Amino acid sequence: MSRNGLQIIVGAFIYAIAINDFLIPHQIGEGGVTGLTTIGYYALHISPAYTNFVLNGLLMLVGFRFLEKQTVWYSAWAVLWISIFLKLPPLLHYHTDQTIIPAIFGGVLMGIAMGIIFRGEGTIAGSTILARIVNRYFGMQNGSAMLLFDLMVAIPSVLIIGLQNMLLTIVELAVSAVVLNNFLSRFGAKKAVTIISDQTTEMTAELSRILNQGITLINAEGYYHQEKRPMIYVICTDKQVAEIVPVISSIDPKAFVVIDNVRSVKGTAISKLL
């Protein structure tokens, strides 16, 4: 089994825990197809495993039209395992009258689970397929697009679960969207270090030795003094930044250094930055 396949199974397991142990025991809804499965359970006592499998299977047909085939197959794999794990009994048997707690922690687990599945090249189908389509063609973040579609199901659920639980559902959806966006934003996270120094040659040689990677020199000219000198530009990890900052200070204590957060991948994976 591929690494992506195993990753999706882990995400599916966490997703099922969020539903079985936090949302359903406290009558908190969800958005998209998952929201429909919980409503079906609350109103008609239909197992979420069945409605999740059937409704998401139909949405897969939409995915085949707009998404890469590999993403659709991995999504089918995710839906299969989510349905299997939803058939399991609750593992934590957690219940509290402070319903804001399961709303928040359910949202955190949902966001983490979807992030893991997304990183495994899949989706949980439902609104995530629609979110992936919006992300691909309009650049909206996955978590934000999902929240938009999920609210279309969550708000009408007030007729089944009541106003308080509907509001808790919105809290859970907002938390999961924030967690998902932050989880995915860590993909390709790096630091961009720009250095302006009088000791460019020595600085570049030492940084190249420490980092053992390419370093870019950019020809620059200061407007005020009309002085030309190269800027050193390098992409590195947080750990590497901690290693090179003392070196920069030791070579040129007067060096001007700018460190920015960036995200970078090779061209074949550039779509993952969206």
Side-chain angles (χ1 to χ4, degrees):
M1 184 182 297
S2 69
R3 178 181 177 181
N4 282 347
L6 289 172
Q7 192 167 312
I8 286 172
I9 292 176
V10 172
F13 181 68
I14 297 173
Y15 191 88
I17 289 178
I19 295 175
N20 284 340
D21 288 277
F22 288 93
L23 302 189
I24 287 180
H26 300 91
Q27 284 229 316
I28 298 172
E30 242 292 324
V33 168
T34 305
L36 294 176
T37 65
T38 56
I39 290 174
Y41 178 78
Y42 298 144
L44 304 173
H45 303 289
I46 301 174
S47 171
Y50 299 138
T51 49
N52 177 74
F53 189 79
V54 172
L55 294 178
N56 280 321
L58 295 175
L59 278 170
M60 288 293 176
L61 300 176
V62 178
F64 267 110
R65 173 66 178 81
F66 293 100
L67 298 177
E68 296 178 359
K69 299 301 180 287
Q70 177 176 275
T71 298
V72 177
W73 287 119
Y74 276 133
S75 299
W77 181 248
V79 169
L80 172 64
W81 281 101
I82 289 173
S83 298
I84 291 172
F85 289 137
L86 284 174
K87 289 289 291 180
L88 298 176
L91 297 179
L92 303 180
H93 299 284
Y94 172 73
H95 188 80
T96 176
D97 293 332
Q98 303 295 322
T99 46
I100 189 64
I101 297 176
I104 292 174
F105 280 92
V108 169
L109 288 179
M110 293 287 265
I112 292 173
M114 288 186 290
I116 292 173
I117 292 172
F118 278 22
R119 289 286 297 273
E121 304 291 342
T123 72
I124 58 169
S127 59
T128 61
I129 282 186
L130 301 177
R132 269 293 182 85
I133 293 171
V134 171
N135 171 263
R136 178 175 178 179
Y137 291 99
F138 299 100
M140 182 183 291
Q141 285 187 298
N142 282 287
S144 303
M146 282 183 58
L147 179 60
L148 176 64
F149 290 116
D150 286 345
L151 288 175
M152 295 179 183
V153 172
I155 292 176
S157 70
V158 66
L159 300 175
I160 304 296
I161 61 177
L163 178 61
Q164 175 176 295
N165 284 359
M166 185 271 286
L167 295 175
L168 288 170
T169 298
I170 294 176
V171 170
E172 182 269 325
L173 289 173
V175 170
S176 67
V178 170
V179 171
L180 176 59
N181 282 340
N182 280 278
F183 189 97
L184 295 178
S185 70
R186 298 303 302 168
F187 182 85
K190 296 286 184 68
K191 297 289 187 183
V193 182
T194 304
I195 307 165
I196 301 176
S197 170
D198 292 328
Q199 310 295 326
T200 303
T201 302
E202 183 182 353
M203 187 88 67
T204 305
E206 187 63 16
L207 293 180
S208 180
R209 184 188 66 80
I210 294 173
L211 299 176
N212 193 29
Q213 68 179 50
I215 294 176
T216 302
L217 293 178
I218 303 172
N219 292 324
E221 180 178 350
Y223 177 78
Y224 187 78
H225 292 291
Q226 296 294 304
E227 183 180 358
K228 294 182 179 180
R229 69 174 66 181
M231 291 193 309
I232 302 171
Y233 184 81
V234 60
I235 302 294
C236 54
T237 64
D238 289 341
K239 181 181 178 181
Q240 289 173 322
V241 169
E243 294 174 353
I244 67 175
V245 166
V247 174
I248 296 171
S249 298
S250 64
I251 295 175
D252 184 2
K254 296 183 179 180
F256 181 73
V257 181
V258 178
I259 301 176
D260 293 312
N261 293 315
V262 298
R263 295 171 64 201
S264 62
V265 296
K266 294 182 179 180
T268 53
I270 196 169
S271 62
K272 293 184 180 181
L273 294 180
L274 294 176

